[in-house]
Amino acid sequence: MNQFFERRYVIGGIFITLTLILLGRLFYIQIIDDRYLLYANKNVIRQFIKYPARGPILDRNGITLVKNELVYDISVIPKQVKPFDTLEFCRLIGIDKAEFDKLFLKAIKYSPSLSSSFEKQLSPQLYASLQERMSEFQGFSVEEHPIRSYPDSVAAQFLGGIGEVNDATIAKYGGYYRLGDYIGTSGVEKAYETVLRGQRGVQNKMVDSRGIPKGSYANGAYDTLAVSGERLTSSLDITLQKLGEKLMKNKVGSIVAIEPSTGEILAFVSSPGYDPNLLVGHDRSTNYKTLATNPYKPFLVRPIQANYPPGSSFKPLSALIALQEGIITPQTTYNCPGYYMSGNRQVKCTHVHGIVNLSGAVAGSCNGYFSMVFQKLIDKNGPKLTDTTFNDWRNNVAKFGLGSRIGVDLPAERGGYLPKAALYDKMYKGARWRASTVLSLAIGQGELGATPLQLANIECTIANHGFYYTPHLIKGIGTKNIVKPEYLIKHDVSIDYQYFEPVIDGMQAVVENGTAIQSKIPGIIMCGKTGTAQNPHGENHSIFVAFAPRENPKIAIAVIVENSGEGAHWAAPIASFIVEKYLKGSISPRESGITPEHFMEANRLPEITTYSGNKATVKADSLKKLKLDSIRKKGLIKSASNKNKKDITIKYLAAIKRKDDE
Amino acid sequence: MSNPQRSFFFNVDWLTVFIYLALCTIGVLSIHSAVFDPKNPSIVDMDTNYGKQFIFVIISVVLGIFILLLESRFLSALAPTIYSVTTLLLLLVLIIGRNVGGNQAWISLPGGIRLQPAEFAKYATCLLLARYLSGTNIKVTEIKSFAIAAAIIFFPMLLILLQPDAGSTLVFSSLLFVLYREGLSPYFLILEGLFITLFVLTLKLNNMPLIIGVIIALTLVIVLLFKRNRQIITTVLLGAAILISFAFSVKFLYTSVLKPHQKTRIDIVLGITNDLRGKGYNVNQSKIAIGSGKLWGKGYMQGTQTKYSFVPEQSTDFIFCTVGEEFGFAGSVVVLGLYLLLVLRIIYIAERQRSPFSRIYAYGVGSVIFFHVVINIGMTIGIVPSIGIPLPLISYGGSSLLSFTLMIFTLIKLDSNRMVMIYA
């Protein structure tokens, strides 16, 4: 004991105080502050993505159209990269130094410490040589990635493709996609992206401070398995599709074949096509550039994106509406002198048909008959109500699916064009216009535009005697083959059943002994209609629409061969081969002697200098028409004062209209 | 009064022994968890840190029992010899020492053993300080005695600073508590507290006019309040002068003397810089480890920060991370509680000694242990600059463990003879 005995309390007190300070700080960082647990997890938990297999796509008989194949993607974590032989690495993965620098910079920009994708889709062969030496390239890792593979190389535009997501896509989908992910960019791949993509799996692994995986986190409690994408069963018939693509080889145009009783699309040919395998794998970007710059625009999905004036193939529809409206009966006749006079306007006809009834007019494609019918129809309520009457007619046509997107399950469908009265009011700037002014609509010309899909759908409706199901390409989603509900809805076009028979009689006659007699199929009654679409840039487009057999129709079809003249010469034979193949399984020799081989070998590609693409054609067509109508209008106004000029105008018109007639 | 024949363990303070063993056990288990390698699961594998530490613990316990066999008088008499030997070793390490991580602190012995003389110097200094201060007519209040006592402390400090091992050097400053207990003016303690505050403020605020201004202002207030009391005025004026010169010397020390890495360490604790990937990485990861333990911890061997090497030096200086991460706040309280219990017990033991030698020695041991604990744990949670000193009995390291064992068991031995008067 000594005098400073009390000081032990001071020392003890200091010890206790400092201990409490430490405990207080520990309490704060361990209990109060939650950040540290997050940081610790961020340190140690790495998410490893397990990519699901994208759903395969089958044809209607279960034959694979698209499947998956493995390729190898290289990822890089820039921070973990140690000096290495860059040139050797470039050689192994087949890129040059400049490309390497570009890719590496991109990866650093994304994140120095996170894994980002570096080079993609190395073939199994390239990967084999790289794999042995991967240990030299620290920071780089290889992941296998399934890509799309097309065993039969068909239906490229229908199937579409997948591509890497870009920044805009990542932003648009709110973080679902990550850099390096794939997304359907066109065709069915895009339309059914959410079904096909499946669900990504996540494996949470613990890594040490050098990023080396050390085992699963929480025994995999937070891991999810990758769920493969759903299988899609398409309505396409691969044999029909292949035949169609062969027949359309070296031609520009479309084939759309639909099963009328369901709306299932059996063939969907857009020509020129391409091998979808070109757009996957390592050389995809080079191939893409080549295709994208092809003047025939193989990426244009013509069946749903190209607009054509339907021409004479429109006549059955015209007839049906007139019958329903009570303007004519099947017995209504017209004595065709080889032209039709509307006021002082003359519409030229192909022949002098003489007295024709409805069926005869359809079979003989009498322009005069349909001009007469159309004029009666539009003028039925007198000139003051032309607008209303016209719009009624227009709405009746629209019920067949014209003038707006039909709703096929593919992206970027176009709706064609079907004018409203307002257009003509605007065009003639308030001046009176009448049936005679827009008479070309009666025979499918003028301000009309329809996609091949719409044309085929009209045939479905006629085959069904008054209704259609929205055409679609996927008839079953997943193993349960679920059909989208909107494709089970019957669309009625409000035409009574009995009005179809006389029209169909006429259509049968077209093939039996009319314009398309060359395409008659032995043993099958095919009902069809030829057409020729005006093309101011070159030879006209050959159109044929049909359905078969007459009783209990199984297939409706529209074929368009651009720049090939009359429908009977090119579109009708091609359609007949498809129809026969579908109904009989084989193509028998024809009385007319035409063979599929002849059509497969024929080259109808327009010269590049004259070909301007269909989109431009339609626009130009409308413009032309607009001009034409204004000329006509002026002509009409001036006709009273200047007879000479009128004659010139009519001659000019006749020259233009020459190809209308069939 | 004593009867050494009765038993080796007669009068042994079992509580201290228990705490000692508890901390050693926590140490081996923590090291095991921190560096566990599933390929090598044996706890007595000499290739692993925990295997080695386990052997060190056994050697330490044997050494402890051996000390209990010695005579208390002998320990006192041996003090100058031990001090001389450690001094020699401290000199030797500067010549033939092995340089690890910039510190020339280890002497390599045959058989792969590495000796760290600085650890033993603490023990030696406690012993010699106790022996000197317990001498007759020695009073720390007298300038000569104070000077000699200070020299005993400063000499090893100087040698260790030459290695340079700043952490171990600073440990000796804890012996100020011993001098205080023996009669040194409390102003030294207050001054030390003020120094630390001023040190932090000087660097953190980096505004000398403000600091000096505040000191002068406070001094004037006190002078005006205690106009009558000349003694207080003198003290305060002297204090103010010392503080102002201290502030300037801190500034000078910081800008001109400290090495860049030391500056950085101080900067990180004071929050002046925040370089989490570079210099601040260690402390940041250590905080993450401890903070992520929450209340109950992640469970033994489940600490991701330590097991997967995010925390550096996870078996030596940052061993407390394992405790904090795997046993959470609860584990931290237990470990800190054990240390506090140990040092308070040592104070209690100190005060029951008849012999001043034993008392002074006990305060020395308690102060050194406590300084280690505060600095080490304070460093892992980022309130003390990163100074590499071990956590007593828990950190991996034979020299450190043996040195603390010597300190504690010498104390236990002295305590078992507490009624004996030991004359220097």
Side-chain angles (χ1 to χ4, degrees):
Chain A
M1 303 296 151
N2 63 37
Q3 62 205 18
F4 301 115
F5 178 76
E6 298 301 320
R7 287 193 176 180
R8 69 172 180 171
Y9 297 117
V10 176
I11 294 170
I14 291 171
F15 286 5
I16 291 169
T17 310
L18 289 175
T19 306
L20 287 177
I21 290 172
L22 288 181
L23 280 176
R25 174 71 176 164
L26 281 165
F27 184 78
Y28 180 76
I29 72 167
Q30 293 190 295
I31 309 284
I32 310 280
D33 197 333
D34 285 331
R35 286 177 306 166
Y36 294 106
L37 187 57
L38 293 177
Y39 293 155
N41 286 340
K42 215 173 121 194
N43 267 344
V44 80
I45 302 170
R46 277 296 131 73
Q47 292 199 329
F48 291 82
I49 302 295
K50 293 275 144 197
Y51 289 96
R54 204 171 167 85
I57 304 173
L58 313 176
D59 93 330
R60 62 189 296 111
N61 299 314
I63 298 163
T64 305
L65 298 173
V66 188
K67 60 176 184 171
N68 296 310
E69 203 169 71
L70 284 182
V71 287
Y72 299 87
D73 290 358
I74 300 180
S75 299
V76 66
I77 303 174
K79 261 187 100 176
Q80 291 178 4
V81 173
K82 305 261 159 64
F84 64 99
D85 187 345
T86 321
L87 289 176
E88 182 63 12
F89 183 72
C90 292
R91 192 186 64 78
L92 283 168
I93 66 170
I95 59 170
D96 60 15
K97 182 73 169 64
E99 177 77 1
F100 174 89
D101 292 340
K102 208 182 89 192
L103 291 168
F104 199 72
L105 213 69
K106 195 181 157 200
I108 292 172
K109 217 181 118 197
Y110 175 65
S111 164
S113 51
L114 289 178
S115 175
S116 61
S117 126
F118 186 75
E119 173 70 351
K120 292 210 175 53
Q121 305 198 356
L122 297 189
S123 65
Q125 293 77 21
L126 270 180
Y127 174 62
S129 53
L130 177 69
Q131 188 190 19
E132 294 163 17
R133 307 191 49 185
M134 269 317 276
S135 57
E136 294 169 37
F137 312 120
Q138 283 201 33
F140 290 92
S141 59
V142 176
E143 287 153 28
E144 43 177 53
H145 212 121
I147 56 156
R148 297 307 240 176
S149 161
Y150 309 88
D152 284 289
S153 301
V154 292
Q157 293 100 334
F158 150 62
L159 295 169
I162 55 174
E164 232 180 293
V165 292
N166 55 26
D167 294 340
T169 316
I170 292 172
K172 189 178 157 197
Y173 291 95
Y176 178 87
Y177 295 97
R178 308 181 328 155
L179 201 66
D181 278 350
Y182 289 86
I183 186 170
T185 50
S186 58
V188 169
E189 299 275 16
K190 184 175 183 182
Y192 287 86
E193 165 67 12
T194 49
V195 179
L196 287 169
R197 72 185 176 196
Q199 250 177 315
R200 272 195 303 247
V202 172
Q203 214 180 353
N204 292 287
K205 281 188 187 169
M206 296 203 284
V207 296
D208 71 4
S209 56
R210 283 161 298 172
I212 299 163
K214 290 285 182 180
S216 69
Y217 172 71
N219 288 321
Y222 305 103
D223 292 1
T224 49
L225 286 173
V227 180
S228 298
E230 296 270 29
R231 185 187 78 187
L232 291 183
T233 304
S234 85
S235 54
L236 238 48
D237 182 317
I238 194 167
T239 48
L240 219 52
Q241 180 72 20
K242 275 178 164 171
L243 175 67
E245 290 186 11
K246 272 190 201 162
L247 287 166
M248 291 300 286
K249 202 177 166 205
N250 289 326
K251 294 160 200 80
V252 178
S254 304
I255 300 175
V256 177
I258 306 176
E259 185 178 68
S261 59
T262 56
E264 291 171 7
I265 298 174
L266 301 167
F268 188 85
V269 179
S270 179
S271 192
Y274 55 91
D275 180 351
N277 287 308
L278 291 174
L279 295 183
V280 294
H282 196 248
D283 299 323
R284 67 199 178 286
S285 46
T286 332
N287 294 336
Y288 180 86
K289 273 175 211 148
T290 315
L291 287 170
T293 51
N294 185 317
Y296 299 116
K297 302 187 179 169
F299 288 142
L300 185 69
V301 191
R302 289 183 164 81
I304 57 166
Q305 292 175 340
N307 280 332
Y308 304 92
S312 297
S313 72
F314 187 71
K315 284 171 183 166
L317 202 161
S318 265
L320 285 167
I321 292 171
L323 285 167
Q324 180 70 30
E325 294 289 310
I327 300 299
I328 53 165
T329 67
Q331 288 72 41
T332 305
T333 55
Y334 172 69
N335 190 348
C336 173
Y339 56 87
Y340 175 74
M341 286 303 295
S342 167
N344 45 19
R345 253 197 82 191
Q346 189 195 48
V347 176
K348 222 182 168 200
C349 202
T350 42
H351 315 90
V352 178
H353 288 94
I355 296 173
V356 282
N357 65 1
L358 174 63
S359 299
V362 172
S365 200
C366 179
N367 286 348
Y369 191 92
F370 286 97
S371 300
M372 176 269 291
V373 170
F374 185 73
Q375 184 154 32
K376 270 190 178 177
L377 185 61
I378 300 301
D379 288 346
K380 70 173 177 181
N381 297 321
K384 284 187 179 166
L385 289 171
T386 303
D387 269 31
T388 332
T389 321
F390 181 84
N391 278 339
D392 286 347
W393 172 83
R394 188 232 174 243
N395 292 339
N396 286 330
V397 174
K399 282 179 188 163
F400 283 79
L402 288 177
S404 62
R405 278 196 283 265
I406 220 162
V408 72
D409 45 354
L410 283 182
E413 189 198 348
R414 295 168 67 91
Y417 190 71
L418 181 60
K420 289 177 182 159
L423 175 85
Y424 297 106
D425 291 342
K426 207 174 154 191
M427 202 184 267
Y428 297 106
K429 303 217 166 63
R432 180 120 317 148
W433 58 275
R434 284 177 292 160
S436 58
T437 331
V438 294
L439 206 52
S440 50
L441 293 174
I443 52 170
Q445 301 286 5
E447 289 77 16
L448 266 182
T451 64
L453 180 76
Q454 286 169 330
L455 294 180
N457 190 49
I458 295 170
E459 298 316 299
C460 282
T461 316
I462 296 172
N464 288 337
H465 290 71
F467 66 88
Y468 70 91
Y469 292 99
T470 304
H472 52 281
L473 282 151
I474 298 303
K475 61 184 288 235
I477 299 169
T479 44
K480 289 179 188 161
N481 282 318
I482 296 162
V483 184
K484 282 192 174 180
E486 62 262 41
Y487 297 137
L488 297 172
I489 299 167
K490 209 174 182 176
H491 298 278
D492 199 277
V493 296
S494 319
I495 306 278
D496 293 344
Y497 191 90
Q498 78 256 19
Y499 295 131
F500 285 91
E501 286 304 319
V503 174
I504 294 173
D505 283 343
M507 289 175 70
Q508 184 181 340
V510 167
V511 184
E512 296 288 316
N513 47 35
T515 48
I517 187 162
Q518 202 189 12
S519 305
K520 189 176 170 188
I521 306 166
I524 290 170
I525 299 174
M526 178 163 75
C527 309
K529 184 75 197 77
T530 53
T532 305
Q534 268 189 312
N535 176 15
H537 303 282
E539 216 179 326
N540 289 340
H541 304 320
S542 171
I543 298 180
F544 185 70
V545 294
F547 65 89
R550 178 163 178 171
E551 300 307 320
N552 195 12
K554 294 278 182 239
I555 181 169
I557 191 167
V559 176
I560 285 144
V561 186
E562 290 187 19
N563 300 74
S564 293
E566 292 187 5
H569 295 164
W570 292 96
I574 287 173
S576 75
F577 295 133
I578 300 280
V579 168
E580 188 179 9
K581 177 80 181 172
Y582 183 66
L583 296 177
K584 301 212 300 205
S586 61
I587 298 165
S588 46
R590 298 287 169 81
E591 280 173 36
S592 58
I594 56 167
T595 60
E597 289 73 26
H598 168 75
F599 287 89
M600 289 176 194
E601 284 153 21
N603 187 336
R604 301 295 303 169
L605 288 177
E607 282 191 29
I608 288 167
T609 43
T610 64
Y611 186 72
S612 60
N614 185 269
K615 208 173 134 188
T617 308
V618 169
K619 267 193 180 164
D621 229 16
S622 298
L623 280 174
K624 181 101 189 169
K625 187 71 206 161
L626 236 148
K627 269 187 194 161
L628 189 66
D629 277 329
S630 18
I631 291 167
R632 193 185 295 153
K633 179 76 189 162
K634 277 179 193 161
L636 285 170
I637 293 165
K638 288 179 182 173
S639 61
S641 61
N642 193 334
K643 199 155 177 134
N644 251 352
K645 262 188 184 165
K646 188 191 82 184
D647 287 344
I648 290 165
T649 310
I650 288 170
K651 258 187 193 165
Y652 174 65
L653 269 171
I656 295 285
K657 289 286 169 187
R658 190 161 37 88
K659 293 287 174 185
D660 292 3
D661 321 326
E662 231 178 83
Chain B
M1 286 177 85
S2 68
N3 188 349
Q5 269 70 43
R6 263 194 268 179
S7 162
F8 298 144
F9 299 123
F10 173 72
N11 252 350
V12 160
D13 188 68
W14 289 110
L15 181 61
T16 309
V17 174
F18 167 77
I19 297 170
Y20 169 84
L21 290 174
L23 288 171
C24 285
T25 310
I26 291 170
V28 174
L29 292 177
S30 298
I31 296 162
H32 179 243
S33 174
V35 299
F36 181 72
D37 178 0
K39 289 186 206 114
N40 211 347
S42 166
I43 198 157
V44 284
D45 192 319
M46 275 306 285
D47 288 337
T48 61
N49 280 359
Y50 48 89
K52 286 183 199 163
Q53 184 77 357
F54 186 64
I55 303 296
F56 291 145
V57 169
I58 291 169
I59 294 170
S60 297
V61 171
V62 172
L63 180 74
I65 294 170
F66 175 74
I67 288 168
L68 292 182
L69 295 173
L70 298 174
E71 277 288 327
S72 294
R73 274 190 199 83
F74 179 67
L75 287 166
S76 163
L78 221 53
T81 318
I82 294 173
Y83 189 84
S84 309
V85 170
T86 53
T87 306
L88 271 176
L89 288 173
L90 284 175
L91 286 168
L92 200 62
V93 82
L94 293 174
I95 301 159
I96 62 155
R98 218 182 116 106
N99 196 317
V100 178
N103 288 356
Q104 189 149 334
W106 285 272
I107 295 175
S108 295
L109 294 180
I113 299 163
R114 290 191 306 187
L115 198 69
Q116 203 179 353
E119 295 298 331
F120 296 99
K122 296 164 195 169
Y123 172 58
T125 308
C126 287
L127 273 179
L128 192 68
L129 188 67
R131 182 172 167 114
Y132 173 72
L133 290 179
S134 61
T136 41
N137 295 325
I138 303 294
K139 286 199 176 74
V140 285
T141 42
E142 287 170 13
I143 192 79
K144 186 188 163 208
S145 304
F146 177 73
I148 290 171
I152 291 171
I153 297 169
F154 278 131
F155 189 49
M157 280 175 90
L158 182 70
L159 291 177
I160 295 168
L161 195 59
L162 289 173
Q163 292 182 358
D165 179 353
S168 296
T169 310
L170 284 172
V171 169
F172 289 82
S173 68
S174 66
L175 295 173
L176 190 69
F177 283 119
V178 179
L179 301 181
Y180 167 71
R181 171 61 186 86
E182 293 310 309
L184 191 68
S185 161
Y187 290 124
F188 281 90
L189 223 50
I190 294 167
L191 214 55
E192 190 176 9
L194 285 172
F195 277 178
I196 292 168
T197 318
L198 205 58
F199 178 80
V200 172
L201 287 178
T202 308
L203 298 182
K204 181 118 188 169
L205 298 180
N206 199 18
N207 188 344
M208 288 303 277
L210 178 73
I211 291 165
I212 305 296
V214 169
I215 292 172
I216 292 169
L218 281 174
T219 311
L220 285 175
V221 169
I222 296 169
V223 169
L224 288 173
L225 281 173
F226 301 95
K227 271 186 274 195
R228 306 270 166 78
N229 193 331
R230 290 198 62 165
Q231 200 191 340
I232 287 180
I233 289 172
T234 320
T235 314
V236 166
L237 286 175
L238 188 66
I242 291 170
L243 287 179
I244 288 167
S245 45
F246 179 77
F248 277 110
S249 46
V250 164
K251 193 78 195 161
F252 172 74
L253 192 76
Y254 180 77
T255 48
S256 312
V257 178
L258 283 186
K259 299 199 166 98
H261 75 273
Q262 290 166 324
K263 269 204 258 187
T264 316
R265 285 172 184 176
I266 292 167
D267 288 350
I268 284 158
V269 169
L270 297 179
I272 295 167
T273 59
N274 193 18
D275 175 15
L276 297 183
R277 296 209 175 275
K279 298 289 164 56
Y281 175 83
N282 291 3
V283 170
N284 184 47
Q285 291 300 333
S286 162
K287 276 157 77 178
I288 291 173
I290 295 168
S292 65
K294 308 307 288 180
L295 181 57
W296 297 110
K298 296 174 187 170
Y300 185 56
M301 309 263 289
Q302 304 299 314
T304 54
Q305 283 287 102
T306 45
K307 207 159 76 170
Y308 298 135
S309 330
F310 290 99
V311 176
E313 311 282 343
Q314 70 266 56
S315 59
T316 54
D317 293 349
F318 286 92
I319 190 69
F320 187 73
C321 292
T322 306
V323 175
E325 186 179 18
E326 299 190 345
F327 299 102
F329 184 64
S332 307
V333 169
V334 169
V335 170
L336 259 178
L338 282 172
Y339 280 119
L340 184 63
L341 192 61
L342 179 66
V343 293
L344 293 180
R345 183 71 186 174
I346 289 171
I347 292 175
Y348 172 78
I349 289 171
E351 295 297 346
R352 72 184 181 190
Q353 303 302 316
R354 183 161 176 236
S355 157
F357 171 78
S358 302
R359 182 186 67 236
I360 297 163
Y361 173 75
Y363 267 103
V365 171
S367 307
V368 168
I369 290 176
F370 191 70
F371 187 87
H372 269 266
V373 172
V374 170
I375 298 297
N376 181 283
I377 296 181
M379 166 186 81
T380 60
I381 55 182
I383 55 174
V384 169
S386 182
I387 294 167
I389 59 171
L391 190 59
L393 308 176
I394 292 186
S395 280
Y396 169 75
S399 297
S400 163
L401 180 61
L402 286 175
S403 164
F404 282 113
T405 304
L406 284 171
M407 286 188 195
I408 290 167
F409 277 85
T410 301
L411 175 66
I412 292 169
K413 178 65 205 175
L414 293 174
D415 178 56
S416 70
N417 290 335
R418 56 184 165 261
M419 300 319 286
V420 176
M421 189 64 199
I422 302 165
Y423 296 102

